[in-house]
Amino acid sequence: MTLGFYPGFLVAYIDCGESVVYVAAAVYLLGQMLTVISGAPRSFEPVYWVSFFLTSIAIHAKGGWMFWWLNRILAILSLSIILIYIIGAIGSADFDTYALMESSDNSDPWFRGGGMEFMRNLPLPCWFFVGVESINLACKDLALPKTKVPRGY
């Protein structure tokens, strides 16, 4: 049983808004990161935004092998960074220091720094799951997505 046209329209509208806000937030953060890395003044960030958008549009307009080749490279790079981080952090992992479940300051014992600190840091690990959403957007442009989408996805 369906809810009808109007609820479906609202869900689609909100999902579209989510995509727009997500891309804007991602580009904004990318501009901040590149500004810090390059040492450029903060007023230079819009140049990074426009450059990123133009590059993305060019890659999507070209499509085909270039899009999937770049996705493979970015997937390998992302996994490499995660593996380097995990391997590098193994020596510093100390459950008693960093994951202790006792509360010494009457704060929430489940989260270091309390629930508010957890919510403040929550967006950082969520970036790991972002790439999965791009698959359905790209698959609609392929005739045979089952055979064309890389196995990494």
Side-chain angles (χ1 to χ4, degrees), residues 3 42 47 79 120 129-130 132 136-137 153:
L3 296 175
R42 189 170 171 125
V47 174
L79 287 174
R120 188 181 71 76
F129 301 101
V130 169
V132 176
N136 60 355
L137 297 174
Y153 287 116

Side-chain angles (χ1 to χ4, degrees), residues 2-153:
T2 63
L3 296 175
F5 176 78
Y6 187 67
F9 172 78
L10 286 178
V11 169
Y13 184 77
I14 291 169
D15 191 50
C16 183
E18 173 205 7
S19 297
V20 169
V21 170
Y22 162 72
V23 170
V27 171
Y28 179 75
L29 289 172
L30 178 67
Q32 285 183 331
M33 287 188 285
L34 291 176
T35 300
V36 169
I37 290 169
S38 68
R42 189 170 171 125
S43 61
F44 199 69
E45 283 181 18
V47 174
Y48 292 130
W49 302 339
V50 171
S51 301
F52 176 75
F53 274 119
L54 290 177
T55 304
S56 296
I57 290 170
I59 290 169
H60 279 83
K62 176 75 175 158
W65 67 270
M66 184 179 185
F67 176 80
W68 293 113
W69 178 81
L70 186 61
N71 264 347
R72 283 187 184 126
I73 297 298
L74 290 174
I76 291 168
L77 180 65
S78 297
L79 287 174
S80 301
I81 291 170
I82 291 169
L83 286 174
I84 289 169
Y85 177 79
I86 290 171
I87 292 168
I90 287 174
S92 301
D94 183 6
F95 187 84
D96 291 332
T97 303
Y98 300 111
L100 195 58
M101 298 299 280
E102 296 175 12
S103 175
S104 61
D105 59 352
N106 290 334
S107 66
D108 189 353
W110 286 95
F111 307 110
R112 192 159 218 39
M116 290 304 291
E117 185 68 15
F118 172 79
M119 294 306 286
R120 188 181 71 76
N121 287 302
L122 183 61
L124 298 174
C126 289
W127 287 105
F128 289 121
F129 301 101
V130 169
V132 176
E133 285 197 20
S134 67
I135 298 168
N136 60 355
L137 297 174
C139 287
K140 71 177 177 65
D141 295 328
L142 296 174
L144 300 169
K146 185 175 181 180
T147 58
K148 299 289 185 186
V149 176
R151 290 181 188 234
Y153 287 116

